[in-house]
Amino acid sequence: MGCCDTPGLKPIADALTQMLDAVEPCCEQITQPIQSAIGFTLAQAVISPVYVPPFNNSAMDGYAFRAADLNNNTELTLVGKSFAGAPFRGDIPKGGCIRIMTGAPLPEDADSVEMQENTQINGSFIQFQANVRQGQNVRLRGEDITAGQRIFEAGHTLRSRDIPLLASLGIAKVNVYQPLKVAIFSTGDELKHVDQALKEGQIYDSNRYCLNAILSKMNVEVIDFGIIADDPALLKDTFLQANQQADVVITSGGVSVGEADYTKDILEQLGEIGFWKLAIKPGKPFAFGKLSDSVFFGLPGNPVSALVTLTQLALPTMAKMAGAKPTQALRLPAITTHGFKKVPGRTDFQRGIYQVNDDGKLTVSSTGGQGSGVFSGMSQANCFVILEQARGNVAAGETVTIEVFSDYLN
Ligand code: AMP
Ligand code: MG
């Protein structure tokens, strides 16, 4: 335990390390055509089978020639043409040049290209300007990628901009991992579906919408078990089904210690689950462990707590299970525009709005109320303001770390 740790509360870094150590990649490999491979994680490195570009070619519409032929001369004889897809065949005699188009193969006897705007046509002669540099306006074979070059490592998750790169290498299919199967449900007697009228003491189930929305941005297969009442038999049955059908089971609610104790009893019967009090705010109550055939994440019921623990703990752990390399959302230093309230002892994930001020500096302000049920702040925010465990109140003008919302949250 470090100097600033709070007895009984697990620091978030320790929780994440413990979770990552407890899981292994678990998804089968499949072959996926590149056009439907966005979001999939590579199971094997991609090695380029070709050179890009595959041949020396012109970067301009103009004329190709040997630079040495212009040493004592400003005029060359036009002897042919090379168009994209229709190369020039033959030799360029001394003092000759050819018309060439962008992307057209550069003949072996030529080493330079002049753009047509810098030339003049005199009958069958082309007049050049004096300052020609050997090799100008030529794109060399393999200058972007060479055959045998490692393009992506295993564990890389393909983004939309990676797909055209694969296409440019003539790679039609890739070996990837199958998506994780993720079962989700909300627990709580007070929860109602969004299209139902609320009676006294009831609230809408928003956490399942949070989970579905975020998971829809990832390449996972979601199995949604809906709302499960705080009923031991029903909960047990749902846990058993979820464990059977999915690699990962994520629930929200019912993990605070002392309350809804039968959730704890059921989970202890079904697997090895740790009920943790995390040294983070929001998100203190959290459960993690293994059922017989799946990994379990028990998120707190409070909506902001559920989102914070999902993004900070569950998603990185699921990424490892899915075979993906760890990634970290962008964290940057920012200057506070006002004071932030903070009690030492837990790491805060406050909701903030960053912007660049008139002096070009990155600043951050709070969205206001930071209660773990105040979800409107999550919608207004564009970043988390991460205030370290040992830190107390923050004054205006101090530097804090912000975590810019990743793609999952946008
Ligand atoms: P719990 O963790 O079950 O004690 O719930 C903590 C708080 O979160 C309570 O105010 C619950 O009503 C609320 N809550 C639990 N589940 C949800 C949910 N699915 N959507 C919105 N709020 C919830
Ligand atoms: Mg509850």
Side-chain angles (χ1 to χ4, degrees):
M1 186 173 284
C3 69
C4 310
D5 293 347
T6 309
L9 295 189
K10 191 188 278 292
I12 182 164
D14 294 358
L16 186 57
T17 304
Q18 202 172 326
M19 292 167 72
L20 290 172
D21 286 347
V23 301
E24 289 301 331
C26 65
C27 299
E28 304 268 308
Q29 292 188 25
I30 52 168
T31 303
Q32 193 72 8
I34 60 167
Q35 61 269 31
S36 49
I38 297 168
F40 280 81
T41 297
L42 291 170
Q44 270 176 13
V46 170
I47 313 286
S48 177
V50 295
Y51 287 86
V52 180
F55 47 83
N56 296 346
N57 68 91
S58 176
M60 293 284 175
D61 290 337
Y63 297 92
F65 52 91
R66 277 180 299 269
D69 288 2
L70 281 176
N71 280 350
N72 313 306
N73 204 354
T74 56
E75 229 174 42
L76 298 175
T77 313
L78 187 63
V79 298
K81 59 189 177 186
S82 179
F83 284 6
F88 171 74
R89 300 194 198 282
D91 302 323
I92 302 176
K94 189 167 165 47
C97 69
I98 60 161
R99 180 97 174 100
I100 195 163
M101 295 296 160
T102 305
L106 187 77
E108 271 191 16
D109 336 351
D111 57 21
S112 311
V113 170
E114 181 61 289
M115 60 198 282
Q116 65 191 30
E117 292 85 336
N118 292 345
T119 61
Q120 274 183 344
I121 304 173
N122 289 334
S124 59
F125 295 101
I126 307 298
Q127 181 81 44
F128 289 80
Q129 292 176 358
N131 53 344
V132 163
R133 182 179 50 80
Q134 186 180 10
Q136 69 178 31
N137 301 324
V138 171
R139 301 189 290 212
L140 294 175
R141 174 179 197 244
E143 74 174 21
D144 182 4
I145 291 168
T146 55
Q149 189 175 325
R150 291 176 86 80
I151 305 302
F152 298 119
E153 298 299 330
H156 174 76
T157 302
L158 292 169
R159 305 154 297 189
S160 50
R161 63 198 147 96
D162 297 328
I163 305 302
L165 178 59
L166 291 168
S168 75
L169 306 178
I171 293 174
K173 293 175 188 164
V174 278
N175 289 324
V176 295
Y177 291 111
Q178 230 165 16
L180 273 180
K181 292 195 183 80
V182 184
I184 62 171
F185 56 95
S186 296
T187 70
D189 282 341
E190 75 280 29
L191 302 178
K192 287 285 151 199
H193 290 284
V194 291
D195 55 358
Q196 292 175 325
L198 295 183
K199 298 201 185 102
E200 205 192 336
Q202 296 180 332
I203 60 166
Y204 290 117
D205 167 22
S206 63
N207 286 346
R208 225 160 23 91
Y209 284 84
C210 177
L211 279 164
N212 269 311
I214 291 176
L215 295 175
S216 75
K217 298 250 177 168
M218 301 170 65
N219 187 36
V220 296
E221 187 186 320
V222 176
I223 309 162
D224 188 343
F225 284 88
I227 300 170
I228 309 298
D230 291 319
D231 170 316
L234 212 55
L235 277 166
K236 183 170 182 181
D237 183 53
T238 311
F239 272 115
L240 285 173
Q241 282 188 53
N243 172 52
Q244 215 168 46
Q245 294 176 32
D247 306 306
V248 171
V249 178
I250 308 179
T251 66
S252 76
V255 290
S256 321
V257 179
E259 162 260 354
D261 258 343
Y262 37 76
T263 311
K264 208 176 162 193
D265 291 344
I266 293 165
L267 286 165
E268 274 163 1
Q269 282 170 38
L270 299 182
E272 286 169 45
I273 311 294
F275 286 81
W276 294 344
K277 284 189 192 165
L278 300 175
I280 67 169
K281 192 178 171 200
K284 190 164 77 169
F286 181 80
F288 169 72
K290 285 182 179 168
L291 304 172
S292 64
D293 294 301
S294 60
V295 168
F296 171 67
F297 302 98
L299 311 182
N302 277 307
V304 185
S305 310
L307 184 144
V308 167
T309 49
L310 177 74
T311 57
Q312 300 297 321
L313 295 170
L315 295 189
T317 309
M318 287 163 61
K320 182 175 177 194
M321 295 177 71
K325 283 240 184 68
T327 54
Q328 169 67 63
L330 180 65
R331 290 187 175 182
L332 297 169
I335 300 161
T336 58
T337 60
H338 56 75
F340 281 66
K341 278 196 190 147
K342 166 75 168 66
V343 179
R346 297 204 247 164
T347 304
D348 275 21
F349 288 83
Q350 299 201 17
R351 278 69 70 205
I353 301 167
Y354 72 82
Q355 58 183 26
V356 176
N357 72 10
D358 294 342
D359 300 334
K361 297 221 168 78
L362 190 62
T363 63
V364 66
S365 54
S366 173
T367 55
Q370 295 291 325
S372 57
V374 181
F375 206 84
S376 57
M378 208 43 238
S379 207
Q380 289 154 23
N382 57 14
C383 66
F384 287 120
V385 181
I386 304 180
L387 302 176
E388 300 78 5
Q389 195 163 325
R391 202 159 183 175
N393 284 331
V394 175
E398 280 188 45
T399 299
V400 293
T401 299
I402 63 165
E403 181 176 298
V404 176
F405 284 165
S406 63
D407 291 349
Y408 301 139
L409 295 177
N410 289 316

